[in-house]
Amino acid sequence: MRAILLETTDPAVNLATEEWLLKNAATDVFMLWRNAPAVIVGRNQNTRAQIDEAFVRERGIPVVRRLSGGGAVFHDLGNVNFTFISLGGGAMDFRGFTAPILAAVAALGVQCAFEGRNDLTIEGQKFSGNAQHVWRDRVLHHGTLLFDADVSHLTGALRVDPEKYRDKAVKSVEKRVTNIAAHLPAPMAVTDFMGHVMGHVCPGAAPGDLALAPDEAAGAAGLAESRYRTYDWNFGASPAYGFTRTRRTPGGLIEAHLDVKGGVILAARLLGDYFGRRDVAELEAALAGCRHDRDALAERLGGVELGEYLLGVGVEDLVECLF
């Protein structure tokens, strides 16, 4: 099994590397990597419904969709990600793939266990969530290892008002989490922890042989640009959903209802106690066909005489109603 340690912390590149290797690797792979702060959502999730949009926007946290199913997670440099790519069959075996990871953590003197469908725990608290994706006869298994992550950002980035979204997409499930570092007999740096895990899973791996080949890095970089940095993948690939929000504005109360598919607004309805000279149906029609995205909505509304429909309501006020 080939061992890889990714140097980049760019979430789009790292997720693209997983996909490129899944489809092109010549042998089984074990890979360790970290992301700079990012929210990673599951393949089948409604991205907007999983994130605290204001929290991630104010902090400049990117949101990226992965290939595998499961729930949304927050990554930072205190979180270590591991990936297994198996070329030998399509069975989804969570226990089998996580067994060497559990053994590596246990070797540090930490009592840990596999629980539920896909979690690794310490004293009943989750430190690793796992997911899988099958492509032809190959399996991609990856998981998180909370080593010394900022738990406040983990909860803040994923907190959202459940009344805003009505859909059947997969929801994330909150569980009590813990960092591995808090249970170690002695302090340890995250990089040393990564070295320990790599040495345990791939004991013959030479430090100088852990990098991607130039063609692999180039292939992953191209895939990051064509897929993992795009609105269509990260937001447009969300299942269809309905959005509702009620907000008081300088012009009165506005209750916004949106039907969204493929990340694009199909229909909008604006109710409330506001005043306006013109029929609001014209404004609702203008919203149809626009991405459910702040910048796109601001651009679309910038060319509309908004006060004619919603007296006293500015573009920023209305955009806030739509998120």
Side-chain angles (χ1 to χ4, degrees), residues 172-184:
S172 296
V173 179
E174 284 191 27
K175 292 186 178 180
R176 293 185 64 191
V177 298
T178 190
N179 278 309
I180 295 169
H183 302 271
L184 292 174

Side-chain angles (χ1 to χ4, degrees), residues 103-272:
V105 175
L108 294 171
V110 179
Q111 292 188 342
C112 49
F114 181 98
E115 289 189 10
R117 294 185 309 160
N118 58 346
D119 295 336
L120 306 184
T121 63
I122 299 171
E123 298 176 2
Q125 294 180 291
K126 177 178 175 179
F127 72 88
S128 173
N130 291 261
Q132 295 185 354
H133 176 74
V134 176
W135 183 77
R136 297 182 179 174
D137 61 345
R138 300 181 173 206
V139 178
L140 166 71
H141 177 108
H142 53 190
T144 56
L145 292 169
L146 295 177
F147 183 79
D148 191 22
D150 187 334
V151 178
S152 66
H153 279 185
L154 186 152
T155 55
L158 301 180
R159 188 174 59 248
V160 70
D161 180 358
E163 294 304 314
K164 286 185 186 179
Y165 295 88
R166 300 294 185 185
D167 59 40
K168 296 182 180 180
V170 177
K171 303 296 190 296
S172 296
V173 179
E174 284 191 27
K175 292 186 178 180
R176 293 185 64 191
V177 298
T178 190
N179 278 309
I180 295 169
H183 302 271
L184 292 174
M188 188 179 201
V190 63
T191 50
D192 291 335
F193 172 71
M194 294 175 72
H196 167 80
V197 173
M198 181 64 77
H200 196 94
V201 178
C202 298
D209 297 330
L210 300 179
L212 293 174
D215 65 314
E216 294 172 330
L223 188 56
E225 295 302 320
S226 65
R227 186 197 296 273
Y228 291 93
R229 296 196 202 283
T230 68
Y231 177 89
D232 286 346
W233 173 252
N234 294 324
F235 293 91
S238 296
Y241 59 90
F243 170 91
T244 299
R245 187 180 188 188
T246 300
R247 187 172 185 270
R248 185 160 296 283
T249 72
L253 193 71
I254 296 179
E255 181 183 318
H257 298 264
L258 303 177
D259 291 328
V260 183
K261 184 177 182 180
V264 175
I265 298 170
L266 299 182
R269 189 77 176 95
L270 302 174
L271 308 175

Side-chain angles (χ1 to χ4, degrees), residues 70-128:
V73 290
F74 178 81
H75 288 181
D76 66 11
L77 295 177
N79 173 78
V80 177
N81 301 287
F82 67 91
T83 303
F84 287 98
I85 295 174
S86 173
L87 280 54
M92 301 187 80
D93 179 11
F94 284 88
R95 286 185 179 272
F97 281 110
T98 55
I101 301 299
L102 280 172
V105 175
L108 294 171
V110 179
Q111 292 188 342
C112 49
F114 181 98
E115 289 189 10
R117 294 185 309 160
N118 58 346
D119 295 336
L120 306 184
T121 63
I122 299 171
E123 298 176 2
Q125 294 180 291
K126 177 178 175 179
F127 72 88
S128 173

